[in-house]
């Protein structure tokens, strides 16, 4: 059961990181100038599955659990979205302004998905805690 709790806690952490990165992308969707120079670059979370070995996996017919883990937060390297705005202070000599390559609608959809994933992990964690409590009650009676 502790392996399950570890997987769920790791999932909560990864989902929280994803929510934070997506919220940052939305907040900076119109940022044309950063400290690094140029427009804000969309960030993406790279997650990997870290296998967990132990008795719980063996009990499930050698099916192994995998713990979600954030491996990196990377910057999008695609070209910025160019918009013709000759009066903008960040316009190039041709009158174009470089905006971040962020679709707010797509990012909001991803944010809703990440939020639901976080909520699902919380629900699963609560269920696991209830099962542990019930198992403890059974062992105390026996």
């Amino acid at each position: 059961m502790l392996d399950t709790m570890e997987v769920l806690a790791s999932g909560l952490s990864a989902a929280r990181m994803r929510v934070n990165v997506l919220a940052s992308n939305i907040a900076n969707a119109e940022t044309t100038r950063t400290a690094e120079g140029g427009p804000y670059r969309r960030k993406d979370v790279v997650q990997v599955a870290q296998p967990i070995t132990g008795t719980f996996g063996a009990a499930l017919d050698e099916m192994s659990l995998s713990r979600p883990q954030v491996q990196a937060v990377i910057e999008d390297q695609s070209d910025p979205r160019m918009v013709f705005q000759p009066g903008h202070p960040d316009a190039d000599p041709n009158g174009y302004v470089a905006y971040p390559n962020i679709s707010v609608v797509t990012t909001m959809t991803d944010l809703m998905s990440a939020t639901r994933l976080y909520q699902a992990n919380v629900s699963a964690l609560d269920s696991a805690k209830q099962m542990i409590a019930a198992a403890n009650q059974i062992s105390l009676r026996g």
Side-chain angles (χ1 to χ4, degrees):
M1 214 39 160
L2 293 177
D3 287 344
T4 303
M5 300 288 269
E6 184 180 336
V7 168
L8 293 170
S10 208
L12 282 170
S13 179
R16 185 184 70 235
M17 171 74 80
R18 190 167 167 230
V19 165
N20 289 341
V21 167
L22 290 166
S24 176
N25 286 343
I26 291 170
N28 288 290
E30 299 293 319
T31 302
T32 59
R33 188 183 312 171
T34 62
E36 296 83 25
Y40 176 83
R41 291 206 174 265
R42 183 184 79 236
K43 294 182 178 33
D44 295 310
V45 174
V46 177
Q47 279 184 233
V48 295
Q50 295 292 328
I52 294 178
T53 57
T55 58
F56 187 76
L60 294 174
D61 298 326
E62 302 301 320
M63 183 175 128
S64 65
L65 290 174
S66 294
R67 181 180 64 233
Q69 181 179 8
V70 173
Q71 185 176 35
V73 176
I74 59 171
E75 283 189 355
D76 177 44
Q77 296 302 312
S78 65
D79 293 332
R81 180 174 45 96
M82 300 303 287
V83 177
F84 185 68
Q85 290 180 314
H88 193 285
D90 293 327
D92 66 12
N94 297 322
Y96 285 91
V97 179
Y99 281 94
N101 191 11
I102 296 173
S103 166
V104 175
V105 173
T106 301
T107 307
M108 283 296 294
T109 304
D110 291 344
L111 183 59
M112 288 171 36
S113 173
T115 302
R116 287 186 180 135
L117 180 61
Y118 186 88
Q119 291 169 342
N121 273 289
V122 168
S123 294
L125 194 58
D126 287 342
S127 295
K129 288 194 293 189
Q130 290 172 3
M131 284 189 269
I132 290 171
N136 283 339
Q137 287 298 322
I138 291 170
S139 68
L140 291 176
R141 291 182 195 157

